[in-house]
Each structure stands twice: as C-alpha cells, then as structure tokens.
Amino acid sequence: MIQNVTSLEMPVDEEFRIVKNHFTNGKGKRICIVTGTHGDELEGQYVCYLIAKMVKENMHLLQGTVDIYPALNPLGIDSMQRGVPAFDLDMNRIFPGNSRGSMIEKVAHDIYTDLSGADMVIDIHASNIFLREMPQVRISEQTAELLVPYAKLMGIDFIWIHQAATVLESTLAHSLNSTGTPCLVAEMGVGGRISHSMCHQLVDGIQNMMFHMGIWQEEPDKSSLKESIVSQGNDAVAFLNATTSGVFITELHNDVTVKKGQTVGQIISPLTGDVLCDVKAPCDGLLFTLRAYPMVYEGSLLGRIHRL
Amino acid sequence: MKVQTIFSMSSPYRDDFRIKAYTFGEGEKTLCIVGSMRGDEIQQQYVASRLVALLKFAEESNRIQPGVSISVIPSVNPFSINIEKRFWALDNTDINRMFPGYNQGETTQRIAAGLFEFIKDFKFGIQLASYYLPGNFLPHVRMIHTGFEDVEDAKYFGFPYIAIRDPEPFDTVLLNYNWQIWETQAFSLYAGTTDTIDHEMARISIDAVCRFMTYKGMASLSMSGSGTQTPTIVEGSQLISIQAPHAGILIVEREAGQEVKQGNVLARIMHPYEGYQVCEIKSPVSGTVFFARNKSITFQNTLLFRIIEEGKDD
C-alpha cells in the first residue's frame, strides 16, 4: 500500500511528497529499506524494485512488515542533483530534523519519525559520481558491537568500521542508531549508474537478514553471499589522494588486491602529453574504492585500500 | 600593505587557485578578517575589499598602533565566485564544513587547512558570514556557546544585537567554532545581504569593524556612526520563527530591521495561477524583524521571518 510519509505544497501547482510502500502480513518485526537521500545515487532504485516485487509476489512468505522508501530526496533524483534542489543542502546532514523548522528540516523530521521504532533500517547509498565502491556496509565504532552481526547476515563483501566524524552526527543513520533504531548503511557502485549484479547480491543479503529476523519465511539463494572482510582500526585503511591536479586514468577496477608500489593509475596532462604523477599503492591490500570521475584537483580522493 | 599568497593549488585547466592575505602593521597577530568563503557571498567580498582599502589608508596615515598586525583575506574561494557556484567548483563541498582542515585530505579539507594554518594564531578573528537560507538579516554579531566566547568584546562592534546560540553537531566543523577552540576570540558578522550588495548594510558593517579595531586599541579609525554601547543579547530560543502556511508567490511587506506590531501584515502569499491572495502572514508579536526571506516564491513551511519580540530581550 502506497502511503505518504510527508507532503508539502510547492510554489507552483505541485505537491512535494515522500512516499513509502507498506507491506504487512501478521505480527512480526519491521524492516525498512530506504534510499535516494542523494539524488545522484541510483543503485538503491533497483534494489527497492527487486524487493517490492519479491514481497508483493510472495506475501504468504511475509511475517511482519517491510516498508520501502525509494526516494528520500525526490526533487534531487528527478533533477539529477545530489543535494536538495532550491536549498542546495545535503539531505543527509540535517537529521533528525525539526518539526518546527523550515521546510526541509520538517521533511527530515517526518522521515526520521516514520522510521523510528523499526527493528532494522537499511540505508542504501551509491557513493557519488566521483568514486566507485565495492559492496560494503559502513558502521561507526560506537555501534559496531550491535550492528556487525547484522551486517554479516547480509553476506556483503566488506564491512568498514570507521571513526565517526563530527559531521556524520547529522546523518539519518547516526540519528536513528543513537535513539535505539538500528540502521545499517550500505554503499556500493557509483553515482548515476545501476550495477545489476551488485543489486541482486544486496537483495539476497537483505532477504537473508529478513529470514534470520523472522520476517521472511524462505531462505535466499546463498550462492552470492560472501564471508565479509571486516576492516577496523585507525590504520586499517590507506587513502590515496591526488598530489597534483589533472586527469586521472587507471587500468584497474575496484575489488582487486594490490601490492605495495603497484601502479594504481596516473595523473596526466592532455595539454603537454606528460604524466604528472604515478599513483602507486602505499601498501598491500584490497582496493575497495577507486575514482570513477577523471578530473582531479590536488587532494581529490583516488582510492582507498584496506591493508592486508 | 603586504600581500601574500597563503595557499595555492594548480587546477586542470583554470588559472592557479590562490588565497591572498593583505596585512597591515607589524607585530603580534592581532586581528584577522575573513571575507567570502562561498561563491554567492558578494556582500562579504565587497565589505572585505572596502576594509582592505580603508586599512591601506590607515597604515599610510600611521593610524595603526605599533606592535599590531591586522590581516584581511577577502576571498577564500575565488574559484566558486568566478563561476557563480555557491560551493566548491568540482565536488560541491562547503569549505565552511571542513575546519580545522587536513592538509593530506580532500581538496576542500586542504584549502581549509591552508587557511587555518595562517589564521589560527590571531588574537581576534572576524568572519563575514552568510546564512544557509536566502534572506536578509539585521546586521549583527553571532556567536556560538563554546565556553570561550566573549560577549563583552562583541559589544565593541556597536551593533544593536548580538545573537548567541548553542552549537549543533555540524558547528564543530565551522571556522568560527574552530577559531574559538584554538583560543582566537571569534565573531561571525552578518552584513545584511549575501548575493547582492547593499551599500547601507555594508557601511554599517564596515563601521562596526572600525569601531571594534578602535575600541580594542588596534587602530585609530573614523566612523560614520557611533553605534550602541548597550546591545541586546539574543539567545536563539528568543527568536520567533514564522513559516509559510502555504506555498505560492511571496510578496514581502516588511524588511529586516523594521519594527512591527502584533497583527501587522509581514507578507502575502498569492496563488501562482489565479492571482488571488491565498493568505496573509501576520506578526504574532510586536518586535523587530531580525530575518526576512528575500525570494519571491515559497514552499509550504519555509522560514519567512524571525522576529525579536519586544520586551522579551535581556
């Protein structure tokens, strides 16, 4: 059943709506699948479609509630903008919102309130247009003890337990986790694209979690589920940042292991024909993030390596 | 006047990115003024540039006190101003969410780190700031409760209002907050407008900075107004917020700085197709308009006004 989470008038003959698809059958736990916080991240669109299709065609297997929120930033998705158009705000930096705040703060509050109390929220992201990510779940250190077992149920390639930066305190995941609603952040793929195999893998993982939570009465095909690599600790991940501005080219793709000193890519000058910088791996490890958008400034993130 | 490039970076095809500092006087790092940080902060850029001109004249006429050094950084982000984009040119990140910065991090973290390295040792810091919503403010000094803020010093600007609020999670990555943590007395100055120049507001803001420099013994500068010695301290919770009950075309009737009586019409919302008045926005209290939206359309629930209620200030 399609339900409004919140709605507001827009200036000229349009209603702003956040909607969810609410599936429920009998008593049981509630899982929420949310995505579309950033308008340039589309991987979650296909995941929502696959789960909605699975549930509506097999309602007899549902024992509890599945709520699907495919677009927390509908204006951004429909106009290919990462932030909230007209406000130039990052939707994932204003949670938990404010019921008496301005339009977008109220929207954030209504979303947060609607999700609160769920037994699990999975917040699906797709990096951005600049970086390509292998399928992973990101968890802050404070919530690792509770959330890592759930993340492992998803059979996802990689679990990154990281220190919470201050600015992340205004994310949806932090707001929910800090008030007792468990929320896992899934990252995969690249902005503006849909990677079918990754989406199917994540759906199998979510179905497996639903099965173990008692929400779904059928085990998934486990052939795509993996033993997760867990990365934790300050020095567990090496960051590759551009040391000069130019055009970044690479022959690699992410989800490969690299050796210390191996060339990850080059920053080149199309004007002069020079290689401005050889980008080399600083350590042995798993290249789980790799730059997808070639133009770089000094400091632009080129990759992340989990040290092995 | 000493002109320094305090941070530079190459770009793929554009000219080098540069942050320049203009320094007047010699001695202890006394006051640093930071102008525009976002690409739409034209008023802030203008005020900073006028301060450079004024301090150049002051230095040439020996009006800067011995042992005092005053630096002005007119723009932290010329790349965004030049392409009329609010945030960073490539990835749309906000430099004012990156402090204290990280010189091995991403581009805007490096820019923040480069700036902060130069400005962190000053005794006093003024940021010419803007608000995230489009609108005009009564010129005021804004401070965040950090335990390091000094309201008494803020009074030297002579503004009628000093706004203080508790920090939100995102505040800890702002320049003002980090300046204070590094023991610089930091003030955010709201010079009325953002993307257009308001000469009167600019004059008031320049006067305020001159007054601060003069009363704090940094320089001897003339001012066109006396300012108030008894500003009203406004806590965030004391501001009455007025939101749009409906969306539509917004006709603003009252501007920032105007006094209003309870029941006065502040704005009207018109139907965008049929031209009739959808509703009037009336002031729920008597007081002074502190913030007024300056866009001509509104969503439902958009913040339109903030009012300082008469008799509620202290």
Side-chain angles (χ1 to χ4, degrees):
Chain A
M1 181 170 46
I2 308 298
Q3 296 178 344
N4 268 9
V5 175
T6 188
S7 65
L8 289 162
E9 297 169 14
M10 291 177 69
V12 183
D13 194 25
E14 185 179 352
E15 188 180 23
F16 175 91
R17 280 192 298 265
I18 306 283
V19 293
K20 68 176 179 183
N21 200 346
H22 176 69
F23 298 98
T24 191
N25 187 28
K27 289 187 176 175
K29 291 182 174 174
R30 177 185 174 217
I31 188 168
C32 300
I33 314 299
V34 306
T35 193
T37 315
H38 295 128
D40 60 349
E41 300 180 17
L42 303 179
E43 305 281 9
Q45 297 302 307
Y46 192 43
V47 174
C48 284
Y49 160 77
L50 291 171
I51 292 178
K53 185 172 187 290
M54 176 185 87
V55 175
K56 81 173 178 183
E57 291 176 355
N58 301 280
M59 281 296 285
H60 61 286
L61 296 176
L62 178 62
Q63 185 67 47
T65 299
V66 177
D67 282 329
I68 297 173
Y69 304 68
L72 297 192
N73 176 12
L75 300 181
I77 292 179
D78 281 15
S79 61
M80 214 183 83
Q81 294 183 57
R82 183 171 178 81
V84 184
F87 296 89
D88 212 2
L89 273 179
D90 187 331
M91 184 83 192
N92 211 21
R93 295 292 182 273
I94 53 172
F95 285 101
N98 181 348
S99 63
R100 292 180 301 170
S102 199
M103 175 261 179
I104 204 67
E105 293 173 285
K106 182 181 183 310
V107 168
H109 170 268
D110 290 347
I111 293 168
Y112 165 79
T113 304
D114 205 75
L115 292 167
S116 291
D119 296 286
M120 175 56 65
V121 176
I122 299 177
D123 183 12
I124 303 167
H125 288 258
S127 187
N128 53 38
I129 64 165
F130 301 104
L131 302 169
R132 181 173 278 112
E133 300 283 357
M134 65 185 284
Q136 60 196 268
V137 167
R138 292 184 185 169
I139 297 171
S140 70
E141 284 179 336
Q142 296 96 316
T143 54
E145 190 177 342
L146 171 70
L147 294 180
V148 168
Y150 280 108
K152 286 183 174 175
L153 284 176
M154 292 170 71
I156 203 155
D157 303 58
F158 188 62
I159 298 171
W160 185 11
I161 301 167
H162 59 86
Q163 287 182 307
T166 307
V167 74
L168 299 183
E169 290 178 11
S170 47
T171 62
L172 174 62
H174 179 88
S175 299
L176 289 169
N177 280 317
S178 61
T179 50
T181 300
C183 178
L184 286 171
V185 176
E187 284 273 6
M188 62 182 194
V190 63
R193 298 288 181 270
I194 288 176
S195 317
H196 293 211
S197 60
M198 286 185 190
C199 293
H200 282 286
Q201 181 190 342
L202 186 61
V203 169
D204 288 344
I206 292 171
Q207 189 186 338
N208 192 48
M209 177 188 288
M210 288 165 61
F211 174 74
H212 284 274
M213 290 174 72
I215 299 172
W216 198 247
Q217 304 305 308
E218 183 180 74
E219 271 197 280
D221 171 10
K222 289 190 171 182
S223 60
S224 70
L225 303 187
K226 298 179 179 174
E227 186 78 28
S228 303
I229 296 168
V230 180
S231 180
Q232 183 170 18
N234 290 345
D235 299 324
V237 172
F239 290 72
L240 280 75
N241 294 88
T243 54
T244 188
S245 301
V247 179
F248 176 70
I249 55 167
T250 179
E251 302 300 327
L252 298 183
H253 56 86
N254 58 349
D255 192 9
V256 296
T257 54
V258 291
K259 291 285 181 194
K260 183 178 180 179
Q262 181 181 337
T263 295
V264 174
Q266 293 176 321
I267 299 174
I268 57 168
S269 167
L271 181 65
T272 65
D274 292 325
V275 173
L276 304 175
C277 175
D278 265 318
V279 181
K280 295 187 182 297
C283 58
D284 293 353
L286 174 66
L287 185 68
F288 67 94
T289 304
L290 184 61
R291 191 165 187 89
Y293 189 79
M295 302 308 295
V296 296
Y297 280 83
E298 286 177 37
S300 293
L301 188 62
L302 305 177
R304 297 186 187 101
I305 298 172
H306 165 64
R307 295 178 195 274
L308 292 173
Chain B
M1 181 174 78
K2 184 169 78 174
V3 185
Q4 290 168 270
T5 298
I6 61 169
F7 181 85
S8 69
M9 178 180 70
S10 63
S11 83
Y13 286 110
R14 295 176 66 176
D15 193 1
D16 285 354
F17 173 86
R18 291 178 288 269
I19 301 175
K20 286 184 176 173
Y22 291 75
T23 300
F24 308 91
E26 289 186 359
E28 184 190 22
K29 291 174 105 173
T30 311
L31 172 66
C32 183
I33 301 162
V34 174
S36 67
M37 198 173 294
R38 294 169 176 158
D40 61 347
E41 293 180 343
I42 310 302
Q43 173 87 337
Q44 290 67 26
Q45 176 94 38
Y46 176 67
V47 168
S49 70
R50 295 300 304 149
L51 284 167
V52 168
L54 195 144
L55 285 163
K56 182 170 185 280
F57 172 75
E59 186 179 55
E60 288 167 357
S61 50
N62 297 315
R63 293 182 183 206
I64 294 176
Q65 297 301 319
V68 166
S69 166
I70 300 167
S71 291
V72 181
I73 296 159
S75 177
V76 176
N77 191 358
F79 263 31
S80 293
I81 285 198
N82 287 341
I83 59 169
E84 298 187 28
K85 184 175 178 180
R86 191 171 180 219
F87 297 129
W88 177 243
L90 184 63
D91 63 10
N92 214 37
T93 51
D94 185 358
I95 297 171
N96 203 25
R97 294 287 184 277
M98 297 293 165
F99 288 96
Y102 176 44
N103 64 11
Q104 297 300 306
E106 294 220 39
T107 308
T108 43
Q109 290 176 307
R110 293 181 185 214
I111 294 170
L115 173 70
F116 203 66
E117 181 61 26
F118 180 80
I119 67 176
K120 66 181 166 57
D121 297 324
F122 281 84
K123 190 172 179 188
F124 298 99
I126 299 172
Q127 184 189 0
L128 304 173
S130 70
Y131 193 48
Y132 80 99
L133 292 174
N136 298 337
F137 272 108
L138 206 58
H140 68 283
V141 182
R142 184 172 296 193
M143 306 176 79
I144 305 169
H145 281 302
T146 59
F148 299 101
E149 78 278 7
D150 189 334
V151 176
E152 290 306 309
D153 272 344
K155 292 178 181 176
Y156 289 119
F157 288 99
F159 278 149
Y161 296 101
I162 298 169
I164 306 177
R165 62 178 178 81
D166 291 327
E168 304 276 352
F170 68 83
D171 280 322
T172 54
V173 289
L174 302 187
L175 170 58
N176 185 305
Y177 184 93
N178 281 279
W179 241 346
Q180 290 193 51
I181 297 300
W182 284 74
E183 298 183 348
T184 292
Q185 279 295 331
F187 309 96
S188 293
L189 217 72
Y190 285 76
T193 58
T194 301
D195 57 356
T196 54
I197 292 172
D198 181 316
H199 289 280
E200 179 59 12
M201 294 286 192
R203 185 193 63 75
I204 291 169
S205 301
I206 291 163
D207 262 9
V209 177
C210 290
R211 196 174 297 114
F212 183 81
M213 289 190 281
T214 300
Y215 285 137
K216 293 301 292 180
M218 301 172 200
S220 177
L221 301 166
S222 58
M223 297 154 261
S224 57
S226 60
T228 179
Q229 301 303 309
T230 53
T232 300
I233 313 295
V234 183
E235 293 279 347
S237 57
Q238 291 175 301
L239 291 167
I240 308 294
S241 295
I242 299 166
Q243 292 159 287
H246 295 285
I249 291 174
L250 179 69
I251 310 294
V252 173
E253 303 277 356
R254 297 297 177 112
E255 301 294 337
Q258 288 188 304
E259 296 197 353
V260 294
K261 295 290 180 195
Q262 185 178 16
N264 281 169
V265 175
L266 300 172
R268 300 173 199 278
I269 294 175
M270 310 297 291
H271 193 280
Y273 283 172
E274 299 172 25
Y276 64 84
Q277 180 175 299
V278 177
C279 64
E280 286 181 332
I281 314 292
K282 292 182 177 177
S283 181
V285 295
S286 295
T288 306
V289 178
F290 187 69
F291 168 80
R293 181 173 170 83
N294 65 359
K295 290 264 184 185
S296 296
I297 58 167
T298 179
F299 282 63
Q300 188 180 18
N301 256 59
T302 293
L303 178 68
L304 301 181
F305 296 94
R306 282 200 160 135
I307 309 279
I308 302 169
E309 190 175 359
E310 194 176 272
K312 283 279 184 177
D313 42 48
D314 51 29

